Amino acid sequence: MRLAPRIVLNSFVVATLLVGIVLFAVERRVTERVRAEEPTAVASSDEFLAKVRRDIVIAGLAALLVGVALAQVLAAPVARPIEELRDVARGLAAGDLTQRPSRAIAGGEVGDLADALRRLAEQLEARLQALHGEEALLVALTESLNEGVIAVDARQRVVRINETARQLLRLREPVPFPADFLPRDRTLREALAAVLSGSGAVPEEVRVDDRTMSLTARPLPGGGAVLALYDLTPIRRLEAVRRDFVANVSHELRTPLTVIGGFVETLQDEELPPDLRRQFLAMAEGNVRRMQRIVDDLLDLSRIESGGWVPNPVDLDVAAVAAEVFAPLQSAAAAKGIVLRTEIGVDAAHLDIDPTAARQILSNLTENALRHTTAGEVVLFSQQDDGGVRIGVRDTGSGIGAEHLPRIFERFYRADPGRSREAGGTGLGLAIVRHLAESHGGKVKAESQPGVGTTISAWIPRADEAVDYSKR
């Protein structure tokens, strides 16, 4: 029951009791006095008593009504502020910190209670805002980390996980969720169990799907654990590339060095015939030039990849560059019975490209095609393509298997290593072509069919679509 009705009811009960007692006392007093009169006056006394009782009842009812109305009037100022304070307290308990007692409640104990409740609400709101600020800062910090962060409580539930960890572990469940949803890697599970049991866990490597990660686990003061994951996959890939690079360079240089060393040792023989001496010197010179090409290609590739070389594109005549590229290769092509020719599109006769880059792209592609073609033709072409010009070389050589095409632009990658080394290639030409094309905002493409031939090209954008090369 609400407070005001209770006050009115209590006042009504008290007033009823008081009126009843007064009426009872008055009625007894009147009756005693009347009966003390002469017996002849008994009949008139009874009538008088009846009238008195009736008047008393009417007066009592009137008094009760007045008492109820007065109780209602007096109860309202007391009950209304208390009910308001109750509603405010309920709102605060439900999380609505905007609730405040009205300023009309003032004075007395109820006013003091209203002031205390108002201060409590203000302090709660201030502390909650501070907590929200700390929570936002914590979320921003964890989300900005390159490490994956996972917090697990004592009941083995994941209560916090940043986006990096979700991507590394491929998790999309909303928190909280059971720790059983984490990948079932043995190292990860054992580290989590050890930390939750109170023992420490040293950093270890875990492998989830195709990723290698460094795992660090630490216990939380109130129970639970925090896991930190750092993706080592790019580092491991770089280490593999570095190992392959060192192995490939060592192998490429060892072969000509061995040949040169053998020839030099043989040339020390004073009785060696002059014609054989000249032959050995020519072969040694050829291997020296081969090493020089490897070193030059390595230096060019390093300079391009490091950004030390910036293209300076100009309007270039493709036919003129093709003639320069073909000139030193005519004799080698004629010796193999291969025809060198060009197919220059009318709308692709000019190209916006750095002249040195254009010559190196076309020279590498033509030499590569001539090296792997035993009969037929090698065609240098240019054509309009998708807002730019595509330049490339098409041959009728041995071709490349489909499984090798995605990797032929990698350094030292060869579809047929034995044949490539026998032909004298360095394994860097196509990698240089790719980097030169990309430095102009372009891209490379390779198409091939074993036994039919290969087409390798570079797409270079027009001048109005080119990028700011100085920022690449």
Side-chain angles (χ1 to χ4, degrees):
M1 185 179 294
R2 301 178 73 82
L3 183 60
R6 284 204 301 270
I7 295 176
V8 173
L9 179 59
N10 292 337
S11 300
F12 177 77
V13 172
V14 173
T16 302
L17 291 174
L18 291 176
V19 170
I21 293 172
V22 171
L23 293 179
F24 179 75
V26 170
E27 192 271 339
R28 288 295 301 269
R29 183 68 176 173
V30 171
T31 302
E32 290 176 358
R33 291 190 62 182
V34 169
R35 293 190 183 280
E37 299 293 335
E38 294 295 332
T40 58
V42 172
S44 61
S45 298
D46 290 338
E47 294 177 0
F48 176 73
L49 288 173
K51 182 179 179 181
V52 169
R53 289 191 184 99
R54 185 172 59 252
D55 293 341
I56 290 174
V57 170
I58 294 172
L61 291 174
L64 286 175
L65 293 175
V66 172
V68 170
L70 184 60
Q72 182 70 32
V73 172
L74 296 176
V78 177
R80 191 177 299 112
I82 295 178
E83 290 177 351
E84 181 183 345
L85 295 179
R86 178 205 60 195
D87 294 338
V88 171
R90 286 179 177 175
L92 294 176
D96 184 8
L97 299 184
T98 61
Q99 294 281 347
R100 296 289 188 278
S102 63
R103 296 291 180 179
I105 303 176
E109 290 80 359
V110 177
D112 294 340
L113 179 60
D115 291 339
L117 193 59
R118 190 178 297 109
R119 289 194 300 272
L120 175 63
E122 292 172 353
Q123 291 177 5
L124 285 175
E125 185 176 18
R127 292 183 181 181
L128 188 61
Q129 289 178 351
L131 287 175
H132 285 165
E134 293 179 0
E135 174 76 9
L137 177 60
L138 179 61
V139 170
L141 288 174
T142 55
E143 292 298 334
S144 65
L145 293 175
N146 290 328
E147 290 181 306
V149 179
I150 306 171
V152 182
D153 64 10
R155 291 187 292 174
Q156 297 194 21
R157 296 183 309 163
V158 176
V159 294
R160 185 179 295 278
I161 178 171
N162 65 352
E163 185 61 27
T164 303
R166 288 187 180 276
Q167 293 179 358
L168 290 176
L169 303 180
R170 295 179 172 88
L171 294 171
R172 283 293 170 262
E173 288 76 14
V175 292
F177 60 85
D180 290 338
F181 285 19
L182 295 175
R184 296 191 175 278
D185 179 83
R186 180 178 178 182
T187 304
L188 188 150
R189 296 292 178 136
E190 290 179 351
L192 178 59
V195 173
L196 289 175
S197 64
S199 36
V202 297
E204 298 183 74
E205 286 192 11
V206 298
R207 187 164 183 84
V208 178
D209 296 332
D210 58 342
R211 292 182 178 274
T212 302
M213 291 171 280
S214 172
L215 169 67
T216 305
R218 294 287 183 271
L220 293 174
V226 60
L227 307 177
L229 297 167
Y230 183 74
D231 191 6
L232 298 175
T233 307
I235 298 175
R236 295 291 180 264
R237 288 175 180 169
L238 286 175
E239 290 176 351
V241 170
R242 179 184 59 80
R243 289 194 299 268
D244 292 344
F245 177 78
V246 172
N248 283 319
V249 171
S250 301
H251 186 83
E252 293 294 336
L253 293 177
R254 183 178 59 185
T255 301
L257 281 173
T258 301
V259 174
I260 292 172
F263 288 151
V264 169
E265 183 178 350
T266 304
L267 290 171
Q268 292 176 353
D269 185 0
E270 297 180 356
E271 298 181 358
L272 189 69
D275 56 342
L276 194 57
R277 185 182 299 274
R278 286 192 296 271
Q279 181 182 352
F280 286 169
L281 285 173
M283 296 177 69
E285 182 183 10
N287 281 277
V288 169
R289 290 177 179 174
R290 179 180 176 184
M291 285 194 301
Q292 184 64 47
R293 286 198 305 272
I294 294 174
V295 173
D296 289 343
D297 286 346
L298 285 172
L299 291 175
D300 290 342
L301 189 60
S302 175
R303 187 167 62 252
I304 296 169
E305 288 182 334
S306 65
W309 178 82
V310 178
N312 182 26
V314 298
D315 185 20
L316 195 66
D317 186 346
V318 179
V321 176
E324 293 181 22
V325 170
F326 281 172
L329 302 176
Q330 289 289 353
S331 58
K336 298 176 71 174
I338 297 173
V339 176
L340 298 179
R341 65 184 183 88
T342 60
E343 290 182 0
I344 309 299
V346 177
D347 53 356
H350 289 265
L351 180 64
D352 300 301
I353 191 173
D354 184 277
T356 302
R359 295 185 186 93
Q360 195 162 8
I361 289 174
L362 294 176
S363 294
N364 286 345
L365 293 181
T366 305
E367 291 174 4
N368 193 61
L370 190 60
R371 189 178 302 118
H372 296 93
T373 303
T374 57
E377 63 179 9
V378 172
V379 181
L380 190 155
F381 66 89
S382 70
Q383 60 190 34
Q384 182 77 14
D385 183 15
D386 192 23
V389 174
R390 183 172 297 278
I391 57 172
V393 173
R394 181 174 67 251
D395 64 53
T396 56
S398 57
I400 304 171
E403 69 277 10
H404 298 293
L405 284 177
R407 298 190 59 189
I408 64 172
F409 293 102
E410 296 179 10
R411 290 175 294 185
F412 295 112
Y413 185 82
R414 293 184 174 91
D416 186 354
R419 183 175 178 182
S420 296
R421 291 193 178 97
E422 182 181 348
T426 65
L428 296 172
L430 293 183
I432 293 175
V433 169
R434 176 171 67 89
H435 284 288
L436 288 173
E438 291 176 351
S439 68
H440 286 78
K443 52 189 176 181
V444 291
K445 180 180 179 182
E447 299 172 301
S448 184
Q449 186 175 351
V452 177
T454 302
T455 301
I456 301 178
S457 60
W459 177 82
I460 306 298
R462 290 288 190 186
D464 53 351
E465 297 186 16
V467 296
D468 185 354
Y469 302 105
S470 64
K471 296 181 180 180
R472 292 188 63 85

